[in-house]
Amino acid sequence: GSGMVVYKIDDPVEKHGLTVNGHFNPGFPVSAEDDSRYVAYFGLNYDTEKIDKAIISATDIAGNKGNAAFGMILKKQTLKKDQINISENLLNLKIPEFSQEYPQLSGSLVEQFVYVNSKVRKENYDAIVQACSNPSPSRLWHGKFGRMAGSRMAGFAEHRTYYYNNTEIDQQVHLGVDLASIKRAEIKAANRGNVAFAEYLGIYGNTVILDHGQGIFSLYSHLSQIGVAVGELVDKGAIIALSGASGMAGGDHLHFSVLINGIFVTPLEWWDPQWLQLNIEDILYGRKDR
């Protein structure tokens, strides 16, 4: 899930932020009017077992570094397990698509599927992390994130075991929420943000990534058509694409993800106005009834 730390810095510094379990999350001004309070958003990987170390650090121009440690309570989640049966029809449908993008594919259709589902998946994740590596320093989003109307087909952090002819061939984790309605449904920006990525991305197919500022990103994939370009600033609710079945998708749907500084987190929190109010807005700006 997602978390946030707010801190103050009294002196000029060159670099500051939050490191959790070795992953650095940069800090940003809470607002343009307040130059002493900073916020660092962070995400915990779905498989986090414990918090080894959580430290806020600041380094000044001379290289002097100050640290402040803090504790967190980790609530472990029980992850759902799912079985995916790979059919001959799916292999005949998808492998030609991947062969065009990855000419190095070789072996049987099953071997090519496993290569794409594992090695290409890792390469795709590296590309996503790169796309999330230079966030806007300003907060661009406001209010809860929008959710596409439709049925939920798969949830966040579901552990998938893939079978072909009743034989296990692979295991992966689904790092998003799948939503389906009609074919070529209009995909709207979940919140205001800059387009950080807009192209084909392996298992994700045609993909758009929006930078909502201060380390928060949303990802939309398996698209049939992309309607935005990198660098565009889009408003919440703006149509950015059409749903589809590109990439590792057996049918038309939207795969939606939220990332914080390159770490996938559950979108459920960002869809929940009460969670956002209690865990972010009240802390940053104070309760409305005060």
Side-chain angles (χ1 to χ4, degrees):
S2 308
M4 179 187 75
V5 172
V6 181
Y7 55 96
K8 289 186 176 182
I9 300 177
D10 296 326
D11 301 312
V13 294
E14 191 170 62
K15 180 181 179 181
H16 58 89
L18 167 71
T19 301
V20 179
N21 288 359
H23 187 85
F24 180 72
N25 303 273
F28 301 95
V30 170
S31 67
E33 296 77 23
D34 190 344
D35 59 0
S36 64
R37 294 176 70 231
Y38 296 87
V39 57
Y41 295 97
F42 68 97
L44 293 179
N45 282 311
Y46 69 91
D47 57 353
T48 301
E49 292 290 333
K50 64 178 181 177
I51 306 297
D52 293 319
K53 187 178 291 186
I55 294 177
I56 302 168
S57 62
T59 305
D60 66 17
I61 299 175
N64 301 308
K65 188 174 183 178
N67 293 327
F70 68 97
M72 288 186 287
I73 298 174
L74 176 64
K75 296 180 180 180
K76 296 182 181 179
Q77 301 292 318
T78 300
L79 303 181
K80 181 182 177 181
K81 295 184 179 181
D82 197 10
Q83 177 176 318
I84 306 293
N85 296 309
I86 303 302
S87 67
E88 198 76 27
N89 287 338
L90 180 66
L91 293 175
N92 288 325
L93 179 67
K94 287 296 165 184
I95 296 305
E97 174 187 332
F98 293 123
S99 296
Q100 291 184 357
E101 300 292 332
Y102 305 98
Q104 70 270 29
L105 290 180
S106 62
S108 67
L109 292 180
V110 173
E111 290 171 334
Q112 293 180 61
F113 171 87
V114 173
Y115 180 91
V116 171
N117 205 41
S118 55
K119 184 172 177 57
V120 172
R121 181 185 295 268
K122 174 61 169 61
E123 294 174 356
N124 296 159
Y125 174 69
D126 292 341
I128 292 171
V129 171
Q130 180 61 35
C132 298
S133 63
N134 189 30
S136 168
S138 301
R139 171 173 162 171
L140 303 175
W141 64 276
H142 179 74
K144 75 180 184 71
F145 280 53
R147 178 191 185 278
M148 187 186 88
S151 301
R152 196 185 83 165
M153 310 301 293
F156 178 77
E158 290 185 1
H159 188 285
R160 293 176 165 178
T161 303
Y162 296 83
Y163 289 86
Y164 177 74
N165 287 342
N166 297 318
T167 299
E168 181 181 328
I169 59 173
D170 199 13
Q171 293 186 14
Q172 299 295 336
V173 178
H174 183 251
L175 297 176
V177 175
D178 287 347
L179 301 167
S181 59
I182 60 174
K183 287 186 176 181
R184 295 177 63 83
E186 292 181 342
I187 303 303
K188 299 178 180 179
N191 223 309
R192 184 168 179 260
N194 290 312
V195 180
F197 186 94
E199 60 183 85
Y200 187 86
L201 186 63
I203 66 164
Y204 294 92
N206 295 321
T207 299
V208 172
I209 299 176
L210 298 183
D211 170 11
H212 302 289
Q214 301 186 339
I216 300 169
F217 294 79
S218 59
L219 176 148
Y220 314 74
S221 64
H222 303 315
L223 309 171
S224 61
Q225 181 177 325
I226 294 174
V228 291
V230 171
E232 285 187 46
L233 174 63
V234 296
D235 289 326
K236 180 178 180 178
I239 298 172
I240 59 174
L242 299 178
S243 67
S246 58
M248 196 66 79
D252 189 298
H253 71 278
L254 170 68
H255 173 98
F256 178 79
S257 297
V258 174
L259 300 100
I260 300 182
N261 297 313
I263 291 182
F264 286 95
V265 296
T266 174
L268 298 182
E269 295 169 339
W270 296 90
W271 286 335
D272 184 349
Q274 184 176 12
W275 183 90
L276 288 169
Q277 187 66 45
L278 292 174
N279 293 281
I280 294 181
E281 306 295 0
D282 284 353
I283 296 171
L284 289 179
Y285 308 114
R287 291 173 57 94
K288 290 183 178 180
D289 56 1
R290 288 179 180 172

